[in-house]
Amino acid sequence: MRNNVLYHIMIFFVACCFIFSLPTLSHANKIPEFRTNLGGLPISCSIYSDQATINNVKSSYRLKDVYAVLGKPSSEYKREGITYVNYEGLYLTFADYSGDGNLYIRSITTAHKSGATTIDGVKPGMSEDVLTKVYGTADSIHTVIDTAPKLSAADNKKRQDRINKTIYTYNANECVSLCFTVKNGVISEIAIYVAE
């Protein structure tokens, strides 16, 4: 009888471990979809729309939704039809795309030391290796390499350590992209861009 109880406890424990180790929808690698962006260029889309989220703010949110999630911002101002909102290193821009007075997210950007995270737990300061583990192969990769030919090799190296960067982009659809800027192998910035 005692062995039977231990056996069932072990089976229950193993089953729980298995269930909790399965990827959730937000962590699952999506099979890429191939589409055309708003400029008519072919793109692949490898993340779910819900993965385009930073600090529980989704790319589809309006300004009032952001207030409900994050509260009052540190600063807010308007310029040329764009509203800029700052939450201590989490920067958001909003626009009235439809002309109905509702302000929708245009971009969300993190500062390096903001503590902001994606819904999948990725944040600035982490190694770029985490991107492939969490999101798979990027939909596009843009590398900036700075060279000043008149400077010495040592001075060029100093410049490159500060300026060179790689941007990994994961598209959710034709209008929404999740981007990671990497410098020297470390994620320095995360941004979400929403096209009109």
Side-chain angles (χ1 to χ4, degrees), residues 5-24:
V5 171
L6 288 174
Y7 173 76
H8 287 302
I9 290 172
M10 256 179 40
I11 294 296
F12 177 75
F13 177 74
V14 170
C16 286
C17 288
F18 175 74
I19 288 169
F20 290 114
S21 70
L22 290 174
T24 61

Side-chain angles (χ1 to χ4, degrees), residues 144-146 159-166 182-183:
V144 175
I145 298 174
D146 178 75
R159 286 177 56 90
Q160 290 174 346
D161 286 346
R162 291 193 67 197
I163 297 173
N164 289 3
K165 62 185 174 183
T166 302
V182 173
K183 290 185 176 183

Side-chain angles (χ1 to χ4, degrees), residues 44-186:
S44 58
C45 301
S46 296
I47 63 169
Y48 295 100
S49 293
D50 282 351
Q51 286 179 282
T53 300
I54 298 176
N55 277 16
N56 296 317
V57 175
K58 296 182 180 186
S59 60
S60 59
Y61 278 10
R62 294 173 293 178
L63 182 57
K64 67 180 185 177
D65 301 321
V66 173
Y67 289 158
V69 172
L70 299 177
K72 185 178 179 191
S74 306
S75 65
E76 180 178 335
Y77 67 95
K78 295 179 183 181
R79 187 177 72 210
E80 298 177 14
I82 305 297
T83 299
Y84 299 83
V85 179
N86 175 17
Y87 285 93
E88 297 299 326
L90 183 66
Y91 306 99
L92 299 96
T93 60
F94 295 85
D96 180 3
Y97 291 126
S98 58
D100 63 3
N102 284 312
L103 296 174
Y104 289 90
I105 288 178
R106 282 186 56 202
S107 67
I108 307 171
T109 308
T110 66
H112 180 66
K113 299 190 187 240
S114 69
T117 62
T118 68
I119 195 168
D120 297 300
V122 177
K123 61 185 176 182
M126 293 178 115
S127 168
E128 72 182 307
D129 297 338
V130 74
L131 297 176
T132 303
K133 291 175 185 168
V134 173
Y135 300 106
T137 303
D139 292 308
S140 70
I141 300 170
H142 176 77
T143 303
V144 175
I145 298 174
D146 178 75
T147 302
K150 294 181 181 179
L151 295 179
S152 68
D155 286 342
N156 248 322
K157 172 84 171 101
K158 285 180 191 175
R159 286 177 56 90
Q160 290 174 346
D161 286 346
R162 291 193 67 197
I163 297 173
N164 289 3
K165 62 185 174 183
T166 302
I167 302 168
Y168 295 87
T169 300
Y170 297 86
N171 299 313
N173 55 46
E174 298 89 342
C175 299
V176 179
S177 299
L178 175 61
C179 303
F180 298 89
T181 301
V182 173
K183 290 185 176 183
N184 299 316
V186 176

Side-chain angles (χ1 to χ4, degrees), residues 24-39:
T24 61
L25 178 62
S26 66
H27 292 282
N29 282 335
K30 177 182 171 187
I31 296 172
E33 296 175 13
F34 299 96
R35 301 181 181 185
T36 304
N37 70 9
L38 298 178

